[in-house]
Amino acid sequence: MALDGDDYMAQEEEWDRDQVLDPAWERQQKKTFTAWCNSHLRKADAQIETIEEDFRNGLKLITLLQVISGEKLGKPDRGKMRFHKIANVNKALDFIASKGVRLVSIGAEEIVDGNLKMTLGMIWTIILRFAIQDISVEEMTAKEGLLLWCQRKTSPYRNVRVKDFHMSWKDGLAFCALIHRHRPELIDYQSLKKDDPITNLNTAFEVAEKYLDVPKMLDAEVFSERVLFFHELAEIVNTPKPDERSIMTYVSSYYHALAGAQKAETAASRIGNVLNVNRENEQLMEEYDRLASDLLDWINRKKPWLEDRSVPENTVPALQKKLDEFRSYRRQEKPPKAEEKGQLETTFNTLQTKLRLNNRPPYMPEEGKLISDIHGAWKGLEAAEKGFEDWLLSEMRRLERLDHLAQKFKHKCDIHEGWADGKEETLQDNNFKGHKLNELRALHKKHLAFESDLAAHQDRVEQIAAIGQELNDLRYHAIDPINERCQKICDQWDQLGNLTMKRRDALDEAIKIMESIDKLELEFARRAAPFNNWMDGAREDLMDMFIVHSLQEIQGLQQAHDDFKGTLPEAQKEFNTIVDLGNQIKNLCAQYNLGSDDGNPYTALTVQDITTKWSELTNLVPERDSALSAERNKQQWKISFVLSYQNSVPFLNPSTAHEGLRMKFAEKANIVGPWVETKIEGVMNISMASEGSLEDQLQRLRLCDQDITSFRPNVDELELINQAVQEAMIFENPHTQYTMETIRVGWEQLLTITRRAMNEMDNSILTRDSKGITEDVLNDCRASFNHFDKNHTQVLEYLEFRSCLVSLGFDVGEHDGDPKRDAEFQRILMITDPSRTGRITFQAFLDFMSRDLVDTDTAEQVMESFRVLAGDKPYITAEELRRELPPDQAEYCIQRMVPYSGPDAIPGALDYMSFSTGLYGHSDL
């Protein structure tokens, strides 16, 4: 049973006067306690023969206490009367009680009367207080400490397993192992046999008495046999267990006799602690290197993909597939890597804190794996992401416009080719012989009308060429047929121009001799041609396809259409005039029998043509009204869709308008954006607060982290809405100041500062606990640091740091150029910013402020510990390491120590000096 504090000195049980003591144990205790007392009494030239008789007058009891305590108990009574003896024994018992020992049921009368049981109980109490109490191993005391010491010393030996202070010692091997561990030259342990306990015990007892000055307190034959005795009920009891108190008393003598070996054990403990620290640091370094390598490899694989601007098929479906891959990367692949980046920073900060706390140099990752390299690579990745997303959306807009332009190009080409069909053959007919004057004049006028028509079609040809050029500029995937058709139309247009000029010259020459012309037909032709062209243009505009992305755009188209309808009354008047002219021509032809079937000599247009086109035009107006109205409705209603975290329900109403999507995005963004900004401010306030304990601040940060995790679905939902906005090709939103990009940047910043603040708080707690810093000191350091951290960046620039030091009483000046002060400031910078990043973190500042508050191990201390284990030799052997250190620590040293090359070297000698220096001089060990 482990005993703590004052309870340790309490007897393990009260002495029951009626309890029968095991005869075998009584014999063992009597022999052991007698030998133990004599080992001390002989220092005063005294001894006892019978323990229950020789302490009865109290004189030798007082002598024993004076020897083992080194104190004087006062002059004893020399009388031989009973009350003299009781007084002496009481004086001894009072001295024992003054040492904090509770004596239960033990009185002076029982000792004076020679009560063996009470006398043995008293001596056991003295042994506990003066021989065992001060034994301490790894914060364990007394019995458990002594047992742990035995277990450690005997663990390397075969056939020895110390579990207790009775059965584990019966075969004698444990006693022999204790001696051999400290004095291997005294016992040939390999020759001992487990089945020969008498020999083993006698060997240990004799060697201990002869060489270690430990008297023989146990009897091997009695100690190892099975003792049979009659109980008061006449039952036969088999008691194979030796007496625990006898064993503890005897083993404690070994402990004190071998006390010199404690120096080696202390040295081994120091070395073990240092090795454990180094192994933990190595694991953190390996973890950092692995995380950094994996993260950089992933970034290096992803950047070329994000920087690739090629699409196998330059079409909307192919680009949509690429956009889906990018969204999958951002939602599923990148977040775990962001977590790894945070874990990397946490590992690095924790490692640097442990190195500083254990007097180790800072860890410098290999070239290319510094924290700054990771941040740079991550920023490069995010820049590539931004460029890739912008390119994807731009390409989507470009391809959609290309499809629209291609359809518009085809539509205009169809109209033009329909108009130009047969024109070349007509223009090539220049044979005017046999034509009447009016026919020639009609041909002339008709040709003039054609030239007017040709000029009117010039805009359409230019539009076709402009659209073709824009398709080329925008890299339309099927550009070759476009270019061929455009070139054909332009070539034909040039040919028509040349033929027109030739025909007009021929008509001008022929018409010089011909005069009469019907003014009405001329007037009809003059009015009909431009009106017909106007109708063609209006018809083309009314049939023009449109794509809009906002309510404002459709409103603009509606206004233009309303303006056109405002011109219809004047057009109606012109139409009526032209029809009236046609009717007049028809009436005159009928009146003068000129033959109306020959047609108008000045134009191919007829009243029927104009009437038909006018009818078609007037029918197109309400159709245009309907199309514009439908598009306006489309823009005015929200898109209905159902979001879920695993599958999205298809849109309920595909005809709903874009304005609803804008409102939907703005509504969610106006919630997420302010929440993120508020939470960032809250985390900053917590991390900069100087009130309350560090544990309270850490708990508040963890609650913030839980809030962030719970809020994450809102950001994911906003991403889905943004996806719908992008797919609808919506690029402006007047309803909110937030964009998806600003939300993402804020969200990433919130995650980063929260992780960083929690890690810094963990490290501050670690620093406080390791160095014994009080909360008041921590709060003062935090308040000073925050005072000069004007921008709340959690770091101080050099000038800010100098001012902070001056405010705390450091003689570094206010950048006054004093060489001594500047040298002191540079010295402090080497401690707080060894990599010269130009910034001082709070953790580095705190480590500097508390650097003298703890006594850490040094290379010299570790070297001295190895020297103790090596017996003052300048080298150590693998056998010595395995004997003094736990197996894993011994192998750790053996694998890393270089051979000793001094003049006194022996085979297998290892250099512990360079190894000790390396533990503190190289961060890669």
Side-chain angles (χ1 to χ4, degrees):
M1 177 177 68
L3 299 171
D4 300 321
D6 295 337
D7 291 339
Y8 166 75
M9 287 310 301
Q11 291 175 250
E12 294 182 353
E13 72 280 334
E14 292 189 7
W15 293 94
D16 188 347
R17 297 175 182 274
D18 299 325
Q19 180 181 354
V20 177
L21 185 65
D22 186 325
W25 287 6
E26 181 179 290
R27 289 195 300 273
Q28 289 180 19
Q29 286 187 18
K30 184 174 180 180
K31 178 178 178 62
T32 302
F33 291 177
T34 300
W36 182 86
C37 291
N38 284 332
S39 69
H40 293 285
L41 286 172
R42 67 186 179 185
K43 299 174 184 177
D45 295 326
Q47 69 172 14
I48 60 173
E49 296 293 337
T50 306
I51 195 169
E52 69 272 23
E53 294 293 333
D54 294 346
F55 284 140
R56 291 179 63 181
N57 61 8
L59 297 177
K60 290 185 178 180
L61 181 59
I62 291 175
T63 301
L64 174 65
L65 291 174
Q66 291 183 149
V67 169
I68 61 178
S69 68
E71 301 179 25
K72 292 293 185 179
L73 271 70
K75 189 175 181 179
D77 293 347
R78 291 296 178 178
K80 296 183 179 181
M81 302 296 291
R82 177 177 174 82
F83 73 88
H84 293 118
K85 298 177 181 180
I86 291 175
N88 289 334
V89 173
N90 274 328
K91 183 176 295 185
L93 294 180
D94 290 342
F95 177 78
I96 296 173
S98 71
K99 298 301 180 182
V101 181
R102 289 185 294 169
L103 296 171
V104 182
S105 301
I106 298 178
E109 291 79 3
E110 284 85 350
I111 306 302
V112 172
D113 293 339
N115 187 315
L116 177 60
K117 176 185 174 184
M118 295 301 149
T119 302
L120 291 176
M122 177 188 67
I123 298 302
W124 172 243
T125 301
I126 293 173
I127 292 172
L128 279 178
R129 172 60 182 85
F130 295 100
I132 299 178
Q133 178 186 4
D134 294 333
I135 297 175
S136 177
V137 181
E138 287 192 354
E139 300 182 359
M140 297 181 179
T141 57
K143 179 179 177 180
E144 289 189 359
L146 185 61
L147 183 63
L148 180 59
W149 178 79
C150 296
Q151 290 170 341
R152 283 188 169 179
K153 294 300 180 181
T154 60
S155 61
Y157 292 86
R158 59 180 177 83
N159 296 328
V160 177
R161 186 173 178 80
V162 177
K163 298 180 180 179
D164 46 46
F165 284 111
H166 35 78
M167 299 301 295
S168 299
W169 306 84
K170 282 179 61 66
D171 58 14
L173 291 178
F175 291 111
C176 293
L178 282 178
I179 297 173
H180 185 269
R181 179 65 183 269
H182 297 89
R183 298 287 300 276
E185 75 279 5
L186 298 180
I187 292 180
D188 181 9
Y189 186 83
Q190 300 300 324
S191 66
L192 301 178
K193 299 179 181 179
K194 186 175 181 62
D195 57 0
D196 190 5
I198 298 298
T199 299
N200 299 338
L201 289 166
N202 282 328
T203 298
F205 297 164
E206 291 169 2
V207 168
E209 187 170 38
K210 182 176 180 181
Y211 296 101
L212 303 180
D213 198 27
V214 175
K216 189 176 181 181
M217 301 182 185
L218 302 173
D219 183 68
E221 287 74 10
V222 175
F223 179 66
S224 63
E225 71 179 355
R226 291 179 176 270
V227 182
L228 301 179
F229 69 97
F230 286 93
H231 192 268
E232 62 182 350
L233 299 176
E235 295 178 350
I236 296 178
V237 179
N238 189 351
T239 60
K241 291 173 58 176
D243 177 51
E244 183 178 61
R245 293 175 180 174
S246 299
I247 300 295
M248 284 183 64
T249 302
Y250 188 48
V251 171
S252 69
S253 298
Y254 276 61
Y255 177 88
H256 292 293
L258 300 171
Q262 294 307 303
K263 185 178 181 182
E265 185 167 334
T266 301
S269 177
R270 178 184 291 277
I271 291 172
N273 292 335
V274 171
L275 294 180
N276 286 335
V277 168
N278 262 64
R279 293 168 72 184
E280 291 176 1
N281 292 340
E282 286 179 359
Q283 292 175 357
L284 287 175
M285 292 175 194
E286 292 172 359
E287 175 71 5
Y288 175 86
D289 187 74
R290 181 186 66 78
L291 288 174
S293 298
D294 292 348
L295 187 59
L296 288 173
D297 288 345
W298 177 79
I299 291 174
N300 292 333
R301 289 196 310 271
K302 284 300 169 185
K303 278 194 69 176
W305 175 67
L306 293 170
E307 292 168 350
D308 182 15
R309 298 296 185 265
S310 63
V311 183
E313 298 178 7
N314 198 10
T315 61
V316 172
L319 199 64
Q320 183 63 48
K321 180 180 179 182
K322 208 170 186 70
L323 182 60
D324 291 340
E325 292 174 355
F326 173 72
R327 287 169 175 162
S328 176
Y329 150 82
R330 173 166 273 168
R331 293 176 187 169
Q332 300 175 14
E333 187 174 359
K334 183 185 176 185
K337 294 301 178 181
E339 292 293 331
E340 290 181 15
K341 176 174 173 289
Q343 182 182 352
L344 181 73
E345 294 176 355
T346 299
T347 300
F348 183 80
N349 293 336
T350 301
L351 173 60
Q352 298 295 49
T353 299
K354 287 190 173 184
L355 289 172
R356 287 191 292 269
L357 293 177
N358 291 282
N359 199 26
R360 304 300 199 274
Y363 170 59
M364 290 298 294
E366 63 183 64
E367 187 67 26
K369 295 183 181 179
L370 300 172
I371 285 292
S372 58
D373 297 325
I374 302 298
H375 284 315
W378 191 264
K379 287 182 179 178
L381 177 73
E382 291 184 330
E385 276 184 23
K386 182 64 170 61
F388 189 61
E389 184 176 30
D390 291 345
W391 172 75
L392 284 172
L393 296 177
S394 175
E395 282 295 287
M396 289 292 289
R397 296 178 67 180
R398 182 181 68 83
L399 290 179
E400 185 180 67
R401 176 163 177 77
L402 281 176
D403 286 345
H404 170 65
L405 288 175
Q407 294 179 27
K408 189 171 184 177
F409 179 84
K410 179 180 181 302
H411 178 65
K412 288 187 176 293
C413 287
D414 290 343
I415 294 174
H416 175 77
E417 289 170 348
W419 172 84
D421 185 33
K423 293 292 191 296
E424 290 184 51
E425 291 78 5
T426 301
L427 292 173
Q428 289 172 350
D429 183 12
N430 293 329
N431 184 10
F432 304 121
K433 293 180 180 180
H435 285 74
K436 297 178 181 180
L437 180 60
N438 61 335
E439 291 175 344
L440 289 175
R441 294 187 68 180
L443 287 174
H444 184 268
K445 296 298 183 182
K446 185 176 181 180
H447 186 75
L448 290 177
F450 172 76
E451 285 187 347
S452 177
D453 195 14
L454 186 67
H457 278 77
Q458 178 71 32
D459 288 342
R460 182 179 293 113
V461 174
E462 291 177 353
Q463 289 177 10
I464 290 173
I467 294 173
Q469 183 60 46
E470 188 171 0
L471 288 171
N472 275 277
D473 293 341
L474 294 177
R475 306 185 307 282
Y476 184 55
H477 64 281
I479 195 61
D480 291 341
I482 297 290
N483 288 336
E484 291 175 4
R485 192 172 186 183
C486 185
Q487 187 62 46
K488 182 179 179 181
I489 289 174
C490 291
D491 291 344
Q492 184 191 42
W493 183 256
D494 293 339
Q495 179 68 10
L496 286 176
N498 293 332
L499 292 174
T500 299
M501 292 176 63
K502 291 179 181 180
R503 183 174 176 79
R504 186 180 61 185
D505 291 342
L507 282 173
D508 285 344
E509 185 178 354
I511 209 161
K512 288 180 181 178
I513 58 174
M514 299 180 179
E515 298 180 355
S516 66
I517 187 73
D518 192 343
K519 291 181 180 181
L520 289 175
E521 288 183 336
L522 179 58
E523 182 67 11
F524 178 88
R526 290 178 62 186
R527 286 182 176 269
F531 188 71
N532 179 67
N533 289 334
W534 175 83
M535 286 194 297
D536 286 343
R539 182 173 180 272
E540 182 177 346
D541 291 338
L542 290 172
M543 296 179 66
D544 186 25
M545 293 176 291
F546 54 86
I547 294 178
V548 295
H549 301 106
S550 68
L551 187 62
Q552 290 78 6
E553 291 179 70
I554 193 62
Q555 288 173 345
L557 292 176
Q558 182 68 59
Q559 182 61 45
H561 184 60
D562 291 341
D563 293 340
F564 167 75
K565 290 194 294 184
T567 65
L568 288 180
E570 288 298 324
Q572 180 69 49
K573 292 179 181 179
E574 183 67 10
F575 170 75
N576 293 335
T577 300
I578 292 172
V579 171
D580 184 59
L581 286 173
N583 291 333
Q584 290 182 48
I585 292 171
K586 183 177 181 181
N587 293 334
L588 288 173
C589 288
Q591 181 179 354
Y592 296 103
N593 195 24
L594 297 177
S596 58
D597 294 338
D598 294 338
N600 193 322
Y602 301 106
T603 180
L605 294 172
T606 65
V607 173
Q608 184 61 40
D609 293 335
I610 299 300
T611 302
T612 300
K613 284 191 176 183
W614 178 256
S615 177
E616 292 176 354
L617 183 64
T618 54
N619 289 333
L620 287 174
V621 171
E623 292 178 6
R624 183 73 168 184
D625 284 332
S626 177
L628 291 173
S629 177
E631 184 62 28
R632 183 175 61 254
N633 291 336
K634 181 179 179 181
Q635 291 295 327
Q636 287 175 337
W637 295 97
K638 292 183 179 180
I639 293 179
S640 301
F641 61 96
V642 178
L643 297 171
S644 68
Y645 299 116
Q646 302 295 327
N647 299 298
S648 296
V649 178
F651 293 140
L652 301 178
N653 187 355
S655 66
T656 53
H658 294 173
E659 189 65 15
L661 270 179
R662 290 190 181 90
M663 296 294 294
K664 185 70 175 180
F665 179 86
E667 179 183 353
K668 196 66 180 180
N670 289 336
I671 295 174
V672 174
W675 189 91
V676 171
E677 293 168 352
T678 302
K679 190 59 69 174
I680 288 175
E681 182 179 357
V683 172
M684 294 291 290
N685 290 338
I686 294 174
S687 62
M688 295 179 63
S690 58
E691 300 84 11
S693 66
L694 293 178
E695 285 78 7
D696 292 340
Q697 296 179 47
L698 181 59
Q699 181 61 25
R700 292 168 62 192
L701 286 173
R702 286 173 176 165
L703 292 176
C704 287
D705 189 53
Q706 293 175 6
D707 292 342
I708 293 169
T709 302
S710 301
F711 194 76
R712 180 60 184 259
N714 292 278
V715 180
D716 294 338
E717 181 180 350
L718 190 61
E719 284 281 8
L720 290 176
I721 299 174
N722 182 63
Q723 178 180 340
V725 169
Q726 289 180 347
E727 290 173 349
M729 305 304 291
I730 299 173
F731 301 100
E732 296 85 19
N733 194 336
H735 304 297
T736 180
Q737 62 176 335
Y738 298 101
T739 66
M740 196 64 236
E741 187 61 30
T742 60
I743 295 293
R744 288 175 188 145
V745 170
W747 182 254
E748 289 293 336
Q749 181 185 3
L750 176 59
L751 294 177
T752 299
I753 66 171
T754 302
R755 286 194 298 262
R756 185 176 298 160
M758 292 173 65
N759 179 244
E760 180 181 303
M761 205 63 66
D762 280 328
N763 288 334
S764 296
I765 293 173
L766 178 61
T767 302
R768 180 200 65 191
D769 294 343
S770 299
K771 298 189 175 184
I773 303 174
T774 66
E775 291 287 348
D776 291 339
V777 172
L778 277 175
N779 290 337
D780 289 344
C781 290
R782 169 59 75 183
S784 299
F785 188 90
N786 289 342
H787 177 76
F788 292 97
D789 182 16
K790 304 297 185 183
N791 297 326
H792 310 304
T793 58
Q794 299 299 297
V795 294
L796 296 182
E797 304 295 337
Y798 280 176
L799 291 179
E800 295 172 331
F801 183 51
R802 182 190 288 270
S803 300
C804 182
L805 292 173
V806 171
S807 71
L808 293 171
F810 288 87
D811 189 18
V812 294
E814 285 286 359
H815 199 56
D816 52 10
D818 187 309
K820 292 184 178 179
R821 291 175 172 175
D822 191 60
E824 173 64 10
F825 183 59
Q826 294 301 321
R827 183 191 69 81
I828 296 174
L829 288 181
M830 287 301 296
I831 298 172
T832 55
D833 186 22
S835 301
R836 289 307 176 103
T837 63
R839 301 183 302 173
I840 311 298
T841 65
F842 176 71
Q843 189 60 47
F845 168 70
L846 183 60
D847 289 338
F848 167 72
M849 294 299 295
S850 59
R851 66 194 186 284
D852 296 326
L853 297 180
V854 65
D855 179 24
T856 58
D857 290 314
T858 64
E860 291 75 16
Q861 291 172 329
V862 175
M863 192 181 303
E864 181 60 30
S865 297
F866 274 116
R867 191 188 306 278
V868 171
L869 299 187
D872 289 329
K873 300 190 299 295
Y875 59 84
I876 195 167
T877 65
E879 180 182 356
E880 289 170 330
L881 288 170
R882 291 191 176 103
R883 185 180 69 223
E884 299 296 343
L885 297 176
D888 57 336
Q889 294 181 359
E891 296 305 319
Y892 180 88
C893 294
I894 293 170
Q895 292 173 7
R896 287 164 172 76
M897 284 185 182
V898 299
Y900 176 71
S901 57
D904 52 348
I906 65 172
L910 299 173
D911 186 356
Y912 63 78
M913 296 184 183
S914 63
F915 176 75
S916 301
T917 303
L919 289 176
Y920 290 84
H922 303 286
S923 61
D924 58 339
L925 290 177

